[in-house]
Amino acid sequence: MNLSMGDAMTELASRWKNMSDDDKQKYLDLETKDRERFERESAEADAERLAEQERRRNALHVKAGEDARSRGARKIQDEERERREEEKERRRLKREAEMDDDERAERDRLIAEKKAEVEERQRKRAEEEKALAHQHKKLDKESAKKAANRLEYLFKQSPIFAKLKMGKGDMNDDAPEEEKNPEKTGRGARAASKPHHIH
């Protein structure tokens, strides 16, 4: 039966009017209980809201033993965080009290397994870091050795550098004889005997 809102209300009113007092009484009892529930929950909600407003209002004022930094939003946040932690701890204690011996043993076993897993991951990470550091050190040694070998190779390729490395000779050791002693050559001798032009 499809009725509009107005028609439905008219139909319900007509049925209610035609019901006997005994039939109406169970609905009246339900109405009384529901009204009492509503009023009780409304009063509790109002009390909580007023308490929260009062707490926030008090947090905005400096009290004895406090300073200006301890009031305001930060104080409210700290108090809210503390309240959540207390509630969390209360629930934990409640669960703890409701556990039997088997449940506690299972919980302790899971905690121990988790702790062992964490310690194992930390141990593996430490070993990997140690191995990586050793590898880096080995690579550094190899690089230094290669550089030394390259330098030694360059010294061997150059007689001058080889003599300098051994501390023998000087830069003119491999120069031609006439360049080392120009006075022994004819050109050198003439150049040596020819006086310089004096202005």
Side-chain angles (χ1 to χ4, degrees):
M1 182 171 57
N2 296 325
L3 298 175
S4 65
M5 182 63 69
D7 293 339
M9 294 300 294
T10 301
E11 179 65 22
L12 290 173
S14 177
R15 292 185 183 184
W16 177 259
K17 184 178 180 180
N18 294 328
M19 289 177 65
S20 64
D21 292 340
D22 292 338
D23 292 335
K24 289 180 179 180
Q25 189 58 46
K26 64 178 181 180
Y27 295 106
L28 294 174
D29 292 341
L30 290 174
E31 178 191 13
T32 300
K33 290 181 180 180
D34 195 51
R35 185 178 298 278
E36 290 175 353
R37 178 195 59 78
F38 172 77
E39 291 176 351
R40 182 179 65 256
E41 293 179 355
S42 296
E44 292 174 356
D46 291 342
E48 290 179 1
R49 184 171 62 256
L50 291 174
E52 179 67 16
Q53 291 175 353
E54 183 66 19
R55 186 180 64 81
R56 293 186 178 185
R57 185 162 46 250
N58 291 335
L60 295 175
H61 299 283
V62 178
K63 300 178 181 179
E66 297 180 344
D67 55 25
R69 291 176 297 178
S70 64
R71 65 180 181 179
R74 184 174 297 276
K75 182 175 177 61
I76 293 174
Q77 292 176 357
D78 293 342
E79 290 178 350
E80 182 65 20
R81 187 182 302 108
E82 183 178 355
R83 185 188 66 78
R84 289 196 300 268
E85 291 296 329
E86 290 177 354
E87 180 65 18
K88 182 179 179 180
E89 180 64 14
R90 186 186 65 80
R91 291 196 300 268
R92 187 190 68 79
L93 293 175
K94 183 179 179 181
R95 289 195 301 270
E96 178 76 17
E98 293 174 350
M99 283 183 178
D100 57 24
D101 293 340
D102 292 338
E103 290 174 335
R104 290 192 183 93
E106 179 65 14
R107 181 204 58 188
D108 294 341
R109 185 186 66 81
L110 293 175
I111 292 175
E113 286 183 357
K114 185 175 182 180
K115 182 178 179 181
E117 290 175 359
V118 172
E119 291 176 350
E120 180 64 15
R121 286 198 299 269
Q122 291 176 346
R123 184 188 65 79
K124 288 183 178 180
R125 187 181 301 112
E127 290 180 354
E128 290 174 356
E129 292 176 353
K130 183 178 180 180
L132 186 61
H134 178 73
Q135 185 68 18
H136 286 169
K137 186 176 181 180
K138 183 178 179 180
L139 291 175
D140 291 341
K141 287 183 178 179
E142 291 178 355
S143 297
K145 185 177 180 180
K146 288 180 180 180
N149 291 339
R150 178 63 178 170
L151 185 60
E152 184 178 0
Y153 171 79
L154 292 174
F155 276 130
K156 289 180 178 180
Q157 294 300 311
S158 173
I160 296 176
F161 286 147
K163 290 181 180 180
L164 289 176
K165 180 182 178 182
M166 294 183 294
K168 299 178 181 179
D170 55 31
M171 294 296 293
N172 292 324
D173 283 351
D174 291 337
E177 186 65 25
E178 59 273 13
E179 292 182 7
K180 293 181 183 179
N181 300 297
E183 64 278 6
K184 293 182 180 181
T185 64
R187 184 179 60 186
R190 289 193 300 272
S193 63
K194 184 178 180 180
H196 291 288
H197 181 73
I198 300 175
H199 294 285

